[in-house]
Amino acid sequence: MSATDSAAPPRPAALLHWRLFSLFYDFWPVLALWMLIGLAVVLAYTLAGHDTHENIRPLTGWWWLEWSLCWLAAGGYATLSWRRGGQTLGMRPWRLRVIGADGATPGWKALWIRYAVGTLSLLAGGLGFWWALFDRERLTWHDRASGTRVLRMPKR
């Protein structure tokens, strides 16, 4: 038995910076969706009889409606992209792909769990993403919670 046989297997490469680059890319199409939702909510707010010079006040029903719709739209964009091809627009340039722990395409439930836990991770200052730097398998909170993985695909 050689010394290389008894050595621990190498840790997977950290994908943190690629994930952050992809999040930055994905921010732009999501921002466009949020702008359209904002326009629709403001139009509905105005048609409901509110003063056209009055902003939607924070923590009101209208405010919660708008942010809920924004969160759902961003989740729809992400989960639909992951389900159809394993990649969002932002993941394509960095050759990242979401797969199930078994290597198959993850189901809807796993993808929505991934999105929800990823949201909580971002709200916690990205702590769930930074966790990948210390995790033995380089997994984030949302990877673990959803049973999914992000792989970096080889160049063609």
Side-chain angles (χ1 to χ4, degrees), residues 63-137:
W63 185 86
W64 284 109
L65 172 67
E66 182 175 9
W67 282 106
S68 297
L69 291 173
C70 287
W71 186 80
L72 288 171
Y77 161 76
T79 58
L80 184 63
S81 298
W82 293 331
R83 182 79 174 147
R84 293 189 70 189
Q87 299 175 301
T88 60
L89 289 174
M91 295 171 82
R92 290 179 185 172
W94 311 109
R95 302 185 321 273
L96 301 178
R97 183 175 304 278
V98 173
I99 61 166
D102 59 358
T105 301
W108 289 108
K109 181 179 177 183
L111 294 174
W112 277 101
I113 289 171
R114 178 180 180 77
Y115 177 69
V117 175
T119 300
L120 294 175
S121 171
L122 286 173
L123 291 174
L127 191 57
F129 284 88
W130 297 110
W131 183 260
L133 295 175
F134 305 102
D135 188 89
R136 179 176 294 175
E137 297 177 54

Side-chain angles (χ1 to χ4, degrees), residues 19 33 38 41 44-45 56 60 81-82 84 93 104 111 118 130 132 135 142 155-156:
R19 290 177 190 231
L33 287 173
V41 170
Y45 183 75
I56 296 174
T60 62
S81 298
W82 293 331
R84 293 189 70 189
L111 294 174
W130 297 110
D135 188 89
H142 43 284
K155 287 184 181 179
R156 289 186 186 182

